[in-house]
Amino acid sequence: MLKNLFKQKEEENPEESENARDDEKVTTRQDGEEKPEEAVSLGGLFGRLKEGLTKTKKGITDRVDDLVKSYTKIDEELFEELEEILITADLGVNTTMEIIDQLRDRVKENKATDPKEVKGLLKELLTEALEEVANPTLDLETTPSIIMVVGVNGVGKTTSIGKIAHKLKGEGKKVLLAAGDTFRAGAIEQLKIWGERSGIDVISHQEGSDPAAVIYDAIQAAKSRKVDVLICDTAGRLHNKKNLMNELGKVFKIVRRECEGLSQESLLVLDATTGQNAIQQAKIFKEVTNISGLVLTKLDGTAKGGIVISVSKELKVPVKLIGVGEKLEDLQSFEPKIFVDALFD
Amino acid sequence: MIFEGLAEKLQNTFSKLKSKGKLNEQDVTAAMREVKMALLEADVNFKVVKDFIGRVKERAVGDEVLESLTPGQHVIKIVKDELTRLMGETQSKINFSNKPPTIIMMAGLQGAGKTTTCGKLAKLLKKQGKRPLLVACDVYRPAAISQLEIVGEQVEVPVFSMGDQEKPITIARESIVHAEKNGNDVVIIDTAGRLHIDSDLMNELKEIDEQLHPHEKLLVLDSMTGQDAVNVAKEFNETIEINGVILTKLDGDTRGGAALSIRAVTDKPIKFVGMGEKLDELEAFHPDRMASRILGMGDMLSLIEKAESSFDQKKAKEMEEKLRTQQFTFEDFLEQLEQIRNMGPIGDMLNMLPGVPSKQMKNLNVDEKELNHIQAIIQSMTRDERTNPSIINGSRRKRIAAGSGTSVQQVNKLIKQFEQTRKMMKQFSGSGMDKLKKKGGKFNMPFFG
Ligand SMILES: Nc1nc2c(ncn2[C@@H]2O[C@H](COP(=O)(O)OP(=O)(O)O)[C@@H](O)[C@H]2O)c(=O)[nH]1
Ligand SMILES: Nc1nc2c(ncn2[C@@H]2O[C@H](COP(=O)(O)OP(=O)(O)O)[C@@H](O)[C@H]2O)c(=O)[nH]1
Ligand SMILES: [Mg+2]
Ligand SMILES: [Mg+2]
């Protein structure tokens, strides 16, 4: 049940709901003052008036600050507006409801009486949700190790591979790339250009050839050339395309067979602009490829990528890396705290 | 959590409320809460949802809903009408200039599908008798130019490029000269993906707009986009005043609420939708279907159309003939199976049917795994075995089982079923086939249904 956003103004059982609401009202220390009620309404009025006037160009942080300032009491409206912020960041209705419920509990537990604390508690909750599954490192113990990169169309797989390869090479590793997208026009050449940028070899076949065969060859090459890390590109595919997912399953079968005992990472690339569909993407890609981590791209835009909070909670897969641009060095390790702060920017 | 469908939820809400007697305004509020949820789950922007609900509620309160015997359906109807109205009319056409060449410019975020859509549009216009020219103005993304060149080759449309060292405005301007010289009556400009907050790149678009005055400026948007769609659409529209939108990747299972968001902030028509990676997968936009999709109400029409496009009529006739004369082979069967599966997971297809409650769906249990097995078994047969199953003896069965990762029993079962079906099929003469077809609808394949 949604408690705030979809709150029924008139409850079926008025007495009960009054009590429930009273419960959730946490009065501030300022209650000792003479006329707290009036202070509330005036603050609220002016606060929101100001907010309305400056809304367009403002980041969420400012809005939260305004919001917090404009309340001297932690009341329903505050929770409601925090909900709006989470929904707008693409956390989705369900996750938002859960988080806000937890926030209510935490506000009580902490006997938080200052509305400013609420924002801190909310951030804490979101960070915890991410940290619960966090694991920023890639398992690249063996020589060779293999990283498979998968995802739907256009999310940034090939670009992320270019960046990851560059990063690993910078750490002194010998890297090899496999052009496993044999479908999309120009995909092989695109990967080759990324390889050239960091002086890294690319194993490729012709456009239209069997992706499993390229990956197989690349694995053999990685072994014989004593490469530290092999990173394999794959064609973008929508998770609801059964035949394409089967094709990917086949590729992974070969990888598992040929790389037994070797370190394997399977990274799902998610586009930060994506809404609720990302959950479905992650679910199905996880079934087929047993993904070990997420790469969240395009965080340099205005989209918040809040969907990874839902994905982390539901599937227990950590976000490992984030993409923040189109250049070689626009890749960062995922840090829950920084990410959560940015949700409110 | 599986989304149950708004219709079902509303029905539940109202059945609870109705026991109390006559519906009142608060009951409508409760129903609106469900609508709100559905829209947010579908990625419609938060503010857009708020406005929309306000409007719908106004219409619903004081309307006959309160007296209606089936208030759930009544509310659904109002919601759907309002949504369809917001989606606008079907406007799947390009504005051609009466002074050719007509200039079309694609714009959008990175990876939205611009280059692919350029190819699709070129193909479509060529089919309509135009002589399009594709123009490679993405000088930033690695291999973007050769991607467009390959796409151009695939649809047999010339591509104009000047490499990646010239400025996009220069390339675009030169392309017009080239088109005039070569008799190309439509110029389709592919641009680089850009963030709506990247002022340098947004200015680059503005420059092309101001100097060349494209007749069609189309925003290409990924249908999976979430809450941010409003910001993207707003910025692009403010910078170059778009003429319309192309919504891509609708062949996925996203609910596509972004469609509503962009309509609300730009008021520009959605002209086409991308329905796949192949270059003929561009379709007209249907507001009513999009409305049902966003509401999670199933989409009968799309399903029927999908079935029709997947089934090549001529092939179906051939198949029928083969069945009748008992020449139907595993080869044919595999083809048929693949055709059906191309339409997407069977379960998904059934989900597209409106009015099928999710509970019943679960019992139906179409076994995709079983279909995988069947496909694997046939794929493990040699050509000879597929066309002449009678040669499949014991050792061959063993080999097939091993090759397909199934058991000999599974192989036996399939071959037996196949032979039986083939015999049965033979009994239907022409008219019998027709009847069978009517009964089984489009899915008249052996072992199925
Ligand atoms: N702004 C931005 N663009 C990105 C990022 N990652 C990838 N892209 C762009 O997104 C588009 C699609 O990327 P690509 O790697 O080809 O995606 P793929 O189809 O998944 O391989 C390209 O234009 C990339 O330059 C990122 O982190 N930020
Ligand atoms: N499934 C599907 N994929 C699409 C569709 N349109 C484009 N794509 C894919 O999306 C990815 C990005 O497309 P592209 O044209 O390179 O995007 P651009 O960066 O905007 O030029 C490619 O993998 C395309 O094949 C569509 O309608 N459906
Ligand atoms: Mg790629
Ligand atoms: Mg492009």
Side-chain angles (χ1 to χ4, degrees):
Chain A
M1 271 283 281
L2 273 177
K3 295 243 171 67
N4 323 291
L5 191 53
F6 309 102
K7 173 177 58 179
Q8 259 174 282
K9 289 257 153 62
E10 289 79 10
E11 307 280 350
E12 285 163 20
N13 195 334
E15 291 121 44
E16 226 178 77
S17 62
E18 274 314 302
N19 286 339
R21 236 176 251 157
D22 282 348
D23 258 8
E24 276 150 3
K25 251 184 204 170
V26 182
T27 40
T28 66
R29 288 192 184 105
Q30 296 159 352
D31 268 3
E33 286 170 30
E34 293 263 326
K35 284 180 171 176
E37 282 310 314
E38 220 173 87
V40 171
S41 55
L42 274 181
L45 186 65
F46 286 127
R48 245 163 295 144
L49 192 64
K50 196 173 123 212
E51 193 196 353
L53 289 171
T54 52
K55 205 158 208 163
T56 38
K57 286 288 162 194
K58 272 197 172 172
I60 295 179
T61 296
D62 298 338
R63 285 169 53 203
V64 172
D65 286 342
D66 280 359
L67 200 65
V68 168
K69 275 182 219 139
S70 65
Y71 290 83
T72 51
K73 233 182 198 179
I74 302 168
D75 63 9
E76 279 308 301
E77 253 172 283
L78 174 62
F79 286 114
E80 219 170 281
E81 302 234 9
L82 288 173
E83 266 177 1
E84 174 177 346
I85 290 167
L86 298 188
I87 296 260
T88 310
D90 284 320
L91 269 84
V93 174
N94 292 327
T95 305
T96 298
M97 275 158 48
E98 261 175 53
I99 300 263
I100 294 291
D101 275 352
Q102 287 168 6
L103 180 63
R104 283 171 196 287
D105 291 346
R106 201 156 287 195
V107 165
K108 274 188 220 163
E109 269 167 38
N110 287 268
K111 301 206 166 51
T113 49
D114 182 356
K116 284 177 192 165
E117 285 179 68
V118 177
K119 184 173 146 191
L121 288 173
L122 178 58
K123 280 188 176 180
E124 210 176 274
L125 267 168
L126 294 166
T127 310
E128 280 168 20
L130 289 165
E131 273 172 350
E132 199 188 312
V133 294
N135 168 16
T137 53
L138 296 170
D139 171 16
L140 304 171
E141 287 300 307
T142 62
T143 300
S145 300
I146 182 164
I147 304 177
M148 300 293 297
V149 179
V150 299
V152 300
N153 311 76
V155 287
K157 292 177 293 301
T158 308
T159 308
S160 298
I161 289 172
K163 297 175 188 172
I164 295 170
H166 177 73
K167 180 171 178 270
L168 292 175
K169 193 175 176 193
E171 292 168 8
K173 292 198 190 295
K174 187 172 174 191
V175 184
L176 183 68
L177 303 180
D181 180 356
T182 58
F183 179 79
R184 212 207 72 210
I188 297 169
E189 193 186 327
Q190 186 190 358
L191 188 71
K192 281 184 178 163
I193 294 174
W194 279 109
E196 266 165 37
R197 286 179 180 178
S198 343
I200 292 170
D201 280 352
V202 179
I203 301 291
S204 65
H205 288 184
Q206 273 185 340
E207 199 178 303
S209 62
D210 179 6
V214 191
I215 305 291
Y216 178 88
D217 279 1
I219 294 171
Q220 305 318 318
K223 286 177 180 169
S224 65
R225 296 187 198 179
K226 307 232 175 324
V227 155
D228 294 310
V229 186
L230 168 67
I231 313 178
C232 302
D233 198 5
T234 61
R237 67 200 76 223
L238 293 176
H239 51 284
N240 64 331
K241 300 280 170 88
K242 200 77 192 181
N243 48 349
L244 294 180
M245 293 310 281
N246 284 343
E247 177 194 85
L248 193 63
K250 227 179 89 191
V251 171
F252 270 76
K253 216 165 136 185
I254 286 169
V255 171
R256 276 192 287 271
R257 192 184 69 205
E258 297 300 316
C259 299
E260 224 191 307
L262 299 180
S263 301
Q264 291 170 32
E265 287 278 350
S266 164
L267 301 180
L268 173 70
V269 181
L270 293 178
D271 182 332
T273 346
T274 307
Q276 301 310 302
N277 194 248
I279 297 177
Q280 204 56 21
Q281 292 172 20
K283 258 188 202 157
I284 300 189
F285 271 98
K286 191 176 180 214
E287 275 169 29
V288 177
T289 69
N290 193 25
I291 51 181
S292 57
L294 305 172
V295 180
L296 184 63
T297 60
K298 310 188 192 175
L299 269 177
D300 45 328
T302 50
K304 299 294 174 191
I307 192 65
V308 296
I309 293 178
S310 309
V311 173
S312 296
K313 274 174 88 80
E314 201 161 325
L315 298 176
K316 308 286 173 215
V317 181
V319 187
K320 300 218 166 189
L321 296 160
I322 60 172
V324 291
E326 298 182 84
K327 294 192 295 297
L328 264 181
E329 56 279 0
D330 292 331
L331 181 80
Q332 294 172 8
S333 284
F334 178 74
E335 299 201 28
K337 254 206 172 77
I338 297 175
F339 176 80
V340 169
D341 278 341
L343 280 184
F344 293 87
D345 275 350
Chain B
M1 200 180 84
I2 294 165
F3 187 81
E4 285 168 48
L6 180 62
E8 206 180 326
K9 277 192 180 163
L10 278 183
Q11 216 58 61
N12 287 341
T13 310
F14 278 113
S15 64
K16 261 184 254 150
L17 297 171
K18 267 186 87 179
S19 57
K20 294 197 309 175
K22 209 177 155 214
L23 289 175
N24 56 26
E25 191 179 330
Q26 294 141 45
D27 299 338
V28 174
T29 306
M32 284 308 120
R33 204 176 42 169
E34 296 293 348
V35 178
K36 236 182 205 177
M37 285 267 269
L39 293 177
L40 286 176
E41 272 302 293
D43 290 322
V44 180
N45 178 268
F46 186 88
K47 290 206 178 64
V48 176
V49 172
K50 257 189 173 167
D51 290 351
F52 179 78
I53 293 293
R55 234 184 347 259
V56 172
K57 197 175 160 190
E58 215 167 89
R59 250 189 83 180
V61 175
D63 201 54
E64 328 70 281
V65 181
L66 306 182
E67 270 92 61
S68 173
L69 284 174
T70 51
Q73 276 160 32
H74 203 107
V75 168
I76 286 266
K77 193 178 171 304
I78 294 177
V79 169
K80 203 178 156 220
D81 282 355
E82 199 65 24
L83 207 54
T84 309
R85 202 181 54 76
L86 239 172
M87 286 291 172
E89 308 282 305
T90 302
Q91 291 186 37
S92 296
K93 53 180 190 296
I94 295 294
N95 297 317
F96 292 110
S97 162
N98 40 25
K99 213 177 122 248
T102 297
I103 305 169
I104 303 173
M105 177 166 79
M106 301 283 185
L109 296 181
Q110 290 93 340
K114 295 173 296 298
T115 307
T116 309
T117 307
C118 281
K120 290 178 177 179
L121 199 57
K123 181 165 182 156
L124 184 79
L125 295 178
K126 199 181 158 195
K127 234 182 181 166
Q128 295 174 1
K130 300 282 175 191
R131 301 191 60 221
L133 176 72
L134 287 163
V135 182
C137 282
D138 180 355
V139 295
Y140 307 105
R141 177 170 168 180
I145 296 173
S146 52
Q147 183 189 358
L148 189 70
E149 278 167 351
I150 295 169
V151 163
E153 216 170 276
Q154 285 169 353
V155 296
E156 295 173 343
V157 165
V159 176
F160 181 85
S161 78
M162 296 171 68
D164 58 9
Q165 297 303 312
E166 297 290 342
K167 278 170 55 179
I169 175 66
T170 312
I171 302 170
R173 201 187 301 117
E174 288 300 314
S175 77
I176 312 292
V177 179
H178 180 93
E180 279 164 352
K181 228 186 277 163
N182 290 273
N184 298 109
D185 48 8
V186 182
V187 169
I188 304 173
I189 301 174
D190 183 24
T191 64
R194 65 202 71 217
L195 292 172
H196 51 289
I197 48 169
D198 185 331
S199 52
D200 288 348
L201 286 183
M202 289 305 277
N203 280 334
E204 185 190 281
L205 278 187
K206 203 170 176 170
E207 201 181 0
I208 299 181
D209 185 29
E210 282 167 355
Q211 295 193 26
L212 302 180
H213 308 291
H215 307 94
E216 279 280 356
K217 288 162 282 181
L218 299 172
L219 173 66
V220 179
L221 193 95
D222 187 326
S223 60
M224 296 178 273
T225 309
Q227 296 285 318
D228 202 38
V230 288
N231 300 325
V232 176
K234 199 163 164 270
E235 284 296 331
F236 273 92
N237 195 36
E238 276 170 11
T239 308
I240 55 168
E241 171 102 61
I242 58 170
N243 300 87
V245 176
I246 298 184
L247 210 54
T248 61
K249 310 180 199 174
L250 258 187
D251 47 323
D253 57 4
T254 180
R255 298 262 296 285
L260 187 61
S261 304
I262 52 181
R263 282 285 308 165
V265 294
T266 67
D267 205 28
K268 297 291 161 59
I270 296 169
K271 296 208 167 189
F272 297 96
V273 295
M275 291 298 289
E277 295 180 75
K278 301 208 193 77
L279 298 173
D280 52 1
E281 293 173 312
L282 186 71
E283 295 180 5
F285 173 72
H286 296 288
D288 50 334
R289 293 186 203 172
M290 197 65 220
S292 319
R293 181 174 178 145
I294 291 175
L295 292 172
M297 282 171 38
D299 189 345
M300 199 59 187
L301 277 170
S302 286
L303 182 64
I304 292 169
E305 228 176 48
K306 218 167 166 189
E308 270 170 0
S309 68
S310 286
F311 279 84
D312 186 326
Q313 292 299 320
K314 218 172 103 202
K315 272 211 180 121
K317 266 230 136 54
E318 273 172 33
M319 210 71 94
E320 223 176 279
E321 183 62 25
K322 280 181 167 170
L323 276 169
R324 229 162 12 92
T325 54
Q326 243 204 54
Q327 284 167 350
F328 188 75
T329 66
F330 268 120
E331 194 85 41
D332 302 320
F333 177 47
L334 186 63
E335 196 180 314
Q336 234 185 2
L337 188 61
E338 276 165 358
Q339 268 187 5
I340 285 191
R341 304 199 81 189
N342 269 341
M343 291 167 57
I346 310 277
D348 273 11
M349 279 166 22
L350 293 174
N351 267 320
M352 288 172 83
L353 293 169
V356 183
S358 46
K359 259 176 257 127
Q360 261 160 269
M361 289 293 311
K362 272 165 216 143
N363 296 337
L364 212 80
N365 198 12
V366 177
D367 198 344
E368 295 274 345
K369 258 203 199 118
E370 180 75 23
L371 292 180
N372 285 343
H373 285 153
I374 293 177
Q375 217 163 337
I377 292 173
I378 305 177
Q379 272 160 351
S380 298
M381 294 178 181
T382 64
R383 269 191 78 92
D384 281 353
E385 286 165 352
R386 287 184 206 175
T387 43
N388 188 10
S390 61
I391 63 168
I392 309 179
N393 57 20
S395 65
R396 283 177 191 252
R397 283 173 201 225
K398 250 186 231 156
R399 193 207 73 237
I400 293 169
S404 58
T406 59
S407 66
V408 175
Q409 282 90 323
Q410 278 170 301
V411 176
N412 286 342
K413 191 173 149 208
L414 177 67
I415 295 177
K416 201 169 143 207
Q417 276 182 335
F418 181 78
E419 293 296 353
Q420 276 173 358
T421 312
R422 198 151 74 148
K423 278 207 194 89
M424 196 181 79
M425 286 297 173
K426 202 198 163 197
Q427 291 164 7
F428 291 99
S429 54
S431 65
M433 267 313 286
D434 284 347
K435 254 185 237 152
L436 184 75
K437 226 163 87 183
K438 262 190 210 117
K439 236 172 103 193
K442 297 281 173 187
F443 307 100
N444 57 324
M445 58 177 287
F447 317 128
F448 202 82

